[in-house]
Amino acid sequence: MNAGRWSSRWRSLRHRTAQTILAIAAIGAAVALPVVLLSVGGGVFSHELSSIEESGFSISIDSAASHGISNAHALTKEIDAISGVQAASPMLSVPVDLFPPGGSVVPVLAEGVIPAAFLETQSAAERSLLPSSLSLGDPDDTIHYDNGTYAGPSSAQLLLSTPLLQTLDLTSGTVVGLSPSTNASAGSAFTIVGSFGLPPGLLGPSPLFVALLPLSQLQSLVGLAHSPTGTLLDSADSIQIAMVPSLAASPSGVQRVASEVQGLVPYYSVTSLTQQTTEIEGAEAIITGFYVGLSSIGLIVGLLFLVIILLRRVEQERQSIGIRRAIGVPGWMVARDIVAEALGLTLGGVCVGVAGGILTVELLARYTSGTISDIASLAVFDPAELVLLAIALVGLALLASFLPVRRALRLSLPEVLR
Amino acid sequence: MTTPSGATIRLEQARRLYHAGQPDEVRALDGVDLTISPGEYLSIEGPSGSGKTTLLNLLGLLDVPTQGRVLWQGAPVERLPERERTRLRRTGIGFIFQRFYLLPTLTALENVELPLQARGLAGAARRRRAQALLAQVGLSDREGSFPHQLSGGEEQRVAIARALANSPQLLLADEPTGELDSVRARQVLDLLEEAHRSTGAAVVVVTHNPTVAARAARHLTMRDGRIVTDSGGR
Ligand SMILES: Nc1ncnc2c1ncn2[C@@H]1O[C@H](COP(=O)(O)OP(=O)(O)OP(=O)(O)O)[C@@H](O)[C@H]1O
Ligand SMILES: [Mg+2]
């Protein structure tokens, strides 16, 4: 309306500053909760999803117990032959001890891989952390592992993770011992031929001390080449499978290959990336639903607060309302003013709540440490989500004004004006 | 609209009960017949509790009778929805209360603008009309003052300006000078008389004060919810 009306509206607002602040604070607190929960929850899930997508392989075979996939080399060749498969890479992860020159012992995670295939199953992001070719002297792991025997010459080369190299102050060319036990004589000597970086692992611990070496050599070292009876094991604990680029983005294509692979190994668990993504998205939907439920309790409390304050105001202003009705101000104008008041308080609360929520997350990310800080720094503020929240609150404000409007329009004029 | 002989408002056997049918039932009005013609100036006297305010509430369409009829310009209104009665109050009736009842958060000018705004008048035209009304009651210099910054007499003059804003056919005043000293009371009564003369509106004044009643041409006296004397009418 005109300036006079608004200035009078402002004056009447100032008359009731404490109430106004209280209402805005209550709604603000109710809004801040979903802002924090949804932004942080959404952030964590989208981080998980992107780290899955970045991991590059789209199907993985895992044995139920560790070190359970036998005949890994042969199985990998069979999988390679399936159409749509770009590369298959068996992997074996075993904790071992490393003996640098000087007599100390360092526990490390040894990863046995087929160097060329391993590179191909890595995402672009992970590949950028690795040398352009894994120069372990045996790109296909066929020199040492020759036709199902371990007869060929060993390259005895390995790559170490940069943190390990730096901590032990080692350089390329140094010879170190690697052993499945603290007894150095149970192991053998390897030459360091290079280093690689590690992807940042935000959620959950990730090993910093990692050694990368040809699969067959790790199998020999830790005794997973042959069983105690002497028969061939050729063991790996997982096989990662990369799709040809034309299939990688097609869930149905990935699914077809996954079921073909499952046909080869009915006793192992085959999971595809799309499956994992679907699982995470399912979990996200459940958690988001939980957050929304939790937040609605807060919002309902905020709403009740608003209703109570509006009812109080109608009570405080019953005489003014009565006078206006008596001199012929239409009911809808009285209703409009109450709704405008509800909307004003609500929008004030939304602004305070959104700002407060963002500030809370920001402060948590900056001034806390550990997991809380890590999680808070993942938060994403989705504008669409915030707008939706604001719209929901406007709806709630309209709902909240219903009772006060009814009360105002049902005032008995003779009683009010007595 | 109205022919000279047609009534502005008419009550037929109007009865207003409070707590009807209960042990504490009150017969505030007990079968009142009253016709008010255009341009009449009428006073209502009577002891406290005799039903004067109750009668005025029916005449002002603020309340409806428990039994009986109310005819506004010949048409029955006692069963109209509240929205319709609000419209009739807005266009046809002006109220002046003993306690002034200005809106405390609005200036004098904004108080006078209120009924104009309710009628849909906007902007400069509304402002000009409100300013003219305040000038008419001699308060041009107090346009921006809030009610708490005005004397009682000034407040009542703003209330008269507000009551006249939409050129009503009926002006109702309940003890309009009840809270004023005699000098200020005379000013207010002069203004009321002036408004009566210049607009031709019917005026009804409820009062305990004989000098206030003396200004009217027709005098009613009430007792126990009934009109017991009606003198000086046309
Ligand atoms: N809301 C109500 N509930 C119950 N009784 C009421 C109500 N309003 C008025 N009454 C009663 O109705 C009767 C008439 O009241 P009314 O206000 O019309 O008297 P009045 O003549 O205006 O008195 P006064 O000179 O004191 O203003 C009184 O007995 C009063 O107590
Ligand atoms: Mg009275």
Side-chain angles (χ1 to χ4, degrees):
Chain A
M1 290 284 142
N2 63 39
R5 253 191 80 70
W6 281 114
S7 66
S8 68
R9 180 143 276 292
W10 170 240
R11 281 193 301 273
S12 68
L13 211 66
R14 256 188 13 205
H15 276 270
R16 302 159 302 178
T17 316
Q19 262 182 14
T20 305
I21 291 174
L22 216 61
I24 289 180
I27 297 166
V31 170
L33 185 69
V35 168
V36 170
L37 289 181
L38 292 177
S39 68
V40 170
V44 167
F45 278 109
S46 66
H47 172 265
E48 286 289 273
L49 283 177
S50 71
S51 70
I52 286 188
E53 268 148 28
E54 264 170 27
S55 69
F57 57 88
S58 32
I59 300 175
S60 114
I61 308 177
D62 296 288
S63 61
S66 60
H67 313 144
I69 302 177
S70 39
N71 300 314
H73 282 84
L75 179 57
T76 301
K77 280 209 184 80
E78 280 182 68
I79 292 170
D80 259 331
I82 294 175
S83 85
V85 171
Q86 169 92 1
S89 163
M91 288 185 67
L92 176 62
S93 304
V94 190
V96 297
D97 281 317
L98 182 111
F99 301 87
S104 56
V105 186
V106 183
V108 302
L109 183 71
E111 301 257 30
V113 299
I114 293 178
F118 177 69
L119 256 187
E120 278 194 79
T121 56
Q122 298 303 293
S123 70
E126 285 166 327
R127 222 175 294 181
S128 70
L129 297 167
L130 294 163
S132 55
S133 73
L134 293 190
S135 51
L136 289 169
D138 192 356
D140 302 320
D141 196 30
T142 47
I143 302 171
H144 180 233
Y145 180 81
D146 183 12
N147 292 325
T149 71
Y150 294 81
S154 160
S155 68
Q157 292 179 333
L158 51 62
L159 297 163
L160 295 184
S161 61
T162 320
L164 179 55
L165 214 60
Q166 284 168 350
T167 308
L168 299 182
D169 203 12
L170 296 171
T171 52
S172 276
T174 311
V175 176
V176 295
L178 217 56
S179 166
S181 71
T182 46
N183 180 2
S185 61
S188 51
F190 285 81
T191 308
I192 302 172
V193 293
S195 65
F196 57 92
L198 294 168
L202 255 172
L203 296 177
S206 58
L208 288 178
F209 290 1
V210 184
L212 216 54
L213 64 159
L215 176 63
S216 60
Q217 287 171 25
L218 184 60
Q219 290 171 337
S220 302
L221 186 72
V222 297
L224 287 166
H226 298 93
S227 73
T229 59
T231 57
L232 201 68
L233 271 183
D234 179 19
S235 197
D237 49 28
S238 71
I239 298 177
Q240 298 181 354
I241 301 163
M243 314 295 298
V244 295
S246 61
L247 271 191
S250 138
S252 63
V254 173
Q255 212 42 58
R256 174 188 58 77
V257 174
S259 46
E260 274 190 57
V261 171
Q262 186 75 76
L264 287 179
V265 287
Y267 29 85
Y268 298 136
S269 106
V270 174
T271 46
S272 65
L273 177 70
T274 45
Q275 254 172 321
Q276 292 180 39
T277 311
T278 320
E279 273 162 29
I280 288 199
E281 280 166 353
E284 179 173 19
I286 291 171
I287 293 277
T288 303
F290 174 69
Y291 286 166
V292 167
L294 200 66
S295 308
S296 5
I297 295 175
L299 289 178
I300 286 170
V301 171
L303 178 77
L304 286 180
F305 215 88
L306 185 61
V307 173
I308 289 168
I309 283 187
L310 290 175
L311 281 176
R312 253 192 75 76
R313 289 201 168 167
V314 167
E315 197 50 41
Q316 283 169 345
E317 299 201 343
R318 59 204 298 268
Q319 197 164 72
S320 290
I321 293 169
I323 295 164
R324 280 159 32 104
R325 302 282 290 132
I327 66 177
V329 172
W332 66 264
M333 279 192 187
V334 173
R336 179 197 61 190
D337 288 354
I338 293 172
V339 169
E341 193 154 331
L343 284 179
L345 292 173
T346 304
L347 288 182
V350 168
C351 291
V352 166
V354 169
I358 292 177
L359 194 71
T360 305
V361 171
E362 212 46 49
L363 290 178
L364 285 179
R366 214 172 287 175
Y367 297 110
T368 60
S369 55
T371 320
I372 292 181
S373 167
D374 289 346
I375 288 179
S377 59
L378 289 180
V380 278
F381 297 98
D382 181 357
E385 231 164 49
L386 296 182
V387 167
L388 215 65
L389 192 68
I391 291 175
L393 268 139
V394 166
L396 288 180
L398 295 181
L399 215 63
S401 17
F402 178 76
L403 219 56
V405 163
R406 209 173 69 149
R407 170 94 42 108
L409 295 186
R410 288 189 176 183
L411 285 177
S412 152
L413 297 184
E415 247 168 74
V416 170
L417 298 175
R418 221 155 9 145
Chain B
M1 279 245 220
T2 44
T3 56
S5 60
T8 297
I9 191 164
R10 187 179 157 80
L11 300 188
E12 291 177 359
Q13 279 302 304
R15 175 172 288 183
R16 180 64 169 97
L17 308 180
Y18 290 106
H19 311 295
Q22 287 164 23
D24 57 345
E25 179 179 284
V26 180
R27 295 190 167 206
L29 278 191
D30 195 7
V32 166
D33 287 302
L34 177 63
T35 303
I36 297 173
S37 305
E40 268 196 301
Y41 195 141
L42 187 143
S43 74
I44 303 177
E45 291 175 275
S48 186
S50 57
K52 305 183 295 295
T53 298
T54 305
L55 175 60
L56 217 57
N57 285 341
L58 293 190
L59 293 175
L61 312 187
L62 292 173
D63 196 6
V64 288
T66 315
Q67 284 163 24
R69 309 184 69 195
V70 181
L71 302 163
W72 172 260
Q73 297 184 336
V77 294
E78 72 275 358
R79 293 199 200 292
L80 286 182
E82 173 57 34
R83 180 163 33 86
E84 281 304 306
R85 282 188 286 124
T86 303
R87 189 180 60 78
L88 292 176
R89 287 199 299 271
R90 178 164 67 241
T91 55
I93 302 170
F95 294 92
I96 299 158
F97 302 95
Q98 175 172 1
R99 278 180 278 151
F100 324 134
Y101 284 152
L102 299 181
L103 295 193
T105 59
L106 301 186
T107 62
L109 190 66
E110 288 165 349
N111 264 287
V112 179
E113 281 187 77
L114 200 60
L116 300 169
Q117 187 203 357
R119 206 184 70 192
L121 201 61
R126 181 167 85 203
R127 186 133 295 212
R128 270 199 309 277
R129 168 105 176 112
Q131 284 166 336
L133 286 158
L134 274 185
Q136 199 179 324
V137 298
L139 289 175
S140 285
D141 52 338
R142 307 308 304 268
E143 282 179 5
S145 301
F146 288 95
H148 71 270
Q149 297 167 324
L150 299 172
S151 74
E154 288 170 330
E155 280 196 78
Q156 197 59 303
R157 280 146 68 191
V158 174
I160 291 175
R162 183 178 69 182
L164 295 174
N166 286 335
S167 311
Q169 293 98 308
L170 180 62
L171 258 179
L172 302 173
D174 197 347
E175 296 274 9
T177 61
E179 305 205 346
L180 303 178
D181 61 43
S182 58
V183 177
R184 301 245 163 73
R186 192 164 338 110
Q187 280 182 335
V188 163
L189 290 174
D190 288 345
L191 275 173
L192 211 54
E193 219 169 277
E194 149 79 23
H196 171 241
R197 240 197 341 269
S198 63
T199 65
V203 177
V204 180
V205 178
V206 164
T207 184
H208 285 111
N209 186 335
T211 60
V212 174
R215 301 262 185 151
R218 179 180 170 193
H219 308 277
L220 304 188
T221 316
M222 295 192 68
R223 183 152 299 135
D224 298 331
R226 295 167 188 271
I227 295 173
V228 288
T229 67
D230 182 349
S231 67
R234 314 178 181 174

